[in-house]
Amino acid sequence: MNQFASASALFHGSVDSLIGGRSENQDNFGYVETPLGFLVVVCDGMGGGPGGKTASYVAVSRFMQAVREANAMSSAEETLKRAVALTQEALAVEMHRNSALRGMGSTLVAVLFTPQAAWVVHAGDSRCYRMSDGKMRFRTADHSLVGELVQHGTITEEQARKSPQSNIITQGLGSLSNNTPTIDEVPYKRGDRFFLCTDGVWGMMPQPNLLHRFASSQDTASLVTRLQTEVDELGAAHGGGHDNHTLAIVQVESDSKLKDKMDRISKIIIAVLAVCLLVSLAFNIFGGGKSSGNDNAQLKDLQRENAQLTKENEELNRKKEKLEQRIEKLEQGEEASPRNDLLERVIIDTNDKDIDPNDKESSPEDENQPKKDSLNNKDIPGDLVLKILNEIKSDLDSMAGMWRSNLKKAEERHLYWVERVKTNIDSLNTVTEGQYQKYLSEFNMTLGNIKPAFDAKNHRYSNIASKDKIDHLKKCIQKIESDYKERKIK
């Protein structure tokens, strides 16, 4: 357990990294005071042999060094971009120097706390959460295969967490082809907490459960210890062998210059209150001293209008509270959208024996169990069914296209590098041994990068993403459409 604090004491916290059920801890972390502000970094290494541990160590140390070298007047965003580039360069040098390290890589998540804002930079699936008043106000989006499916609404957070393909990273440092990070400028206020963690932490429990623990008022050291212990207990309960897990909690004791944006509902309520205030002022100015019968009638009209506006304001407040509760549930994965709900019900219909009796994944329902809801029920609005089916078909076509595109790109890159290496083999008289070794190193690194794409046809990225499942769902959709149109004609 490590505890830390900035020189100004405005940022303080705790961090711990545990080996989990693995033979080696390939996570690393660091924190340092820089000319721009206080910096906290967490990395998760990837690669066989010594590669993962080395990659995360080099990434943390070089990234912190690069930010420390910045001038106090430098742009925070440009400094972080430069730090990423220098870290990538350092990893490439290590891989070229030692053949055993070729193919290594690392995720990165770091927060630079400046007076203006918290600058969050990340590449890969190590995450940063901002908790404010017990609620999640910000979270990084994973650079992973399943993370992209979640962002497109194809699968849920929980499906992604449990997916066997959750470890396929699309961006990161080292040998990965995409080394471009995402940088976010995030406001903060006194009492906020930022949580930086590797997938060994967030991958062990559903997001609502994790956020509930993040909302704890325990001091940072006690909370880190409690969460890390729980992750180990959950891992042991599932047979052990769980991933390394690193968690850093930073508590903020000041307000940033950048402020949270007001949401749309709050703006509407303020506008309504302003109207009520204007009505009240109008009454006080024009109706307060009148006593004639006609003026009394106007006064009653104004009072009725004021009462109506007050009633509407109360109704808007109730709607705002309901919307905020629903938004919170959606953010935490507790509530599915109607579209995702119907998508799940399409998947349920794949058990229909008339659709594809040879599908090995289909299984007849237990006669003793109550039958699940089906899209063929007449109580579902037909126009809504057709609309959502069209959206689902569009998504499936998009996924199939992505699948084919990835394989095509992989084949093109493979042929390119084979030809490049072959050309240099044929012209060894003009190529130095150092240049030749560099070409071979780049070729081997690229093969490592594109292997997941070559293996894509053997993987099921989600319960609906493989080609076989796409074809099967299309048959299901066609049958549902046919049934619906037949009922409509009748």
Side-chain angles (χ1 to χ4, degrees), residues 116-183:
Q116 170 67 21
W119 291 87
V120 181
V121 54
H122 85 285
D125 63 355
S126 292
R127 292 180 178 178
C128 174
Y129 298 78
R130 175 201 171 197
M131 300 295 292
S132 182
D133 300 324
K135 295 182 180 180
M136 181 180 73
R137 299 297 183 185
F138 169 82
R139 199 207 87 185
T140 51
D142 299 336
H143 297 145
S144 65
L145 183 62
V146 294
E148 291 176 1
L149 292 175
V150 169
Q151 292 167 43
H152 286 89
T154 306
I155 62 175
T156 65
E157 284 276 0
E158 187 60 11
Q159 287 172 327
R161 186 180 72 85
K162 293 182 176 180
S163 171
Q165 282 76 44
S166 61
N167 62 342
I168 299 178
I169 306 301
T170 56
Q171 289 173 231
L173 303 180
S175 62
L176 282 84
S177 58
N178 189 341
N179 312 122
T180 304
T182 297
I183 300 178

Side-chain angles (χ1 to χ4, degrees), residues 35 38 45 48 52 73 76 96 104 168 176 206 218 247 275 319 358 370 443 449 467:
F38 191 67
M73 302 303 292
H96 180 68
M104 71 178 182
I168 299 178
L176 282 84
Q218 283 184 295
L247 173 64
V275 171
K319 289 181 179 179
N358 297 319
F443 174 60
N449 291 341
K467 185 176 183 300

Side-chain angles (χ1 to χ4, degrees), residues 420-432 435 439:
R420 180 168 176 179
V421 172
K422 180 181 176 183
T423 300
N424 285 284
I425 290 175
D426 294 338
S427 56
L428 281 177
N429 291 332
T430 59
V431 177
T432 66
Q435 289 174 320
Y439 289 137

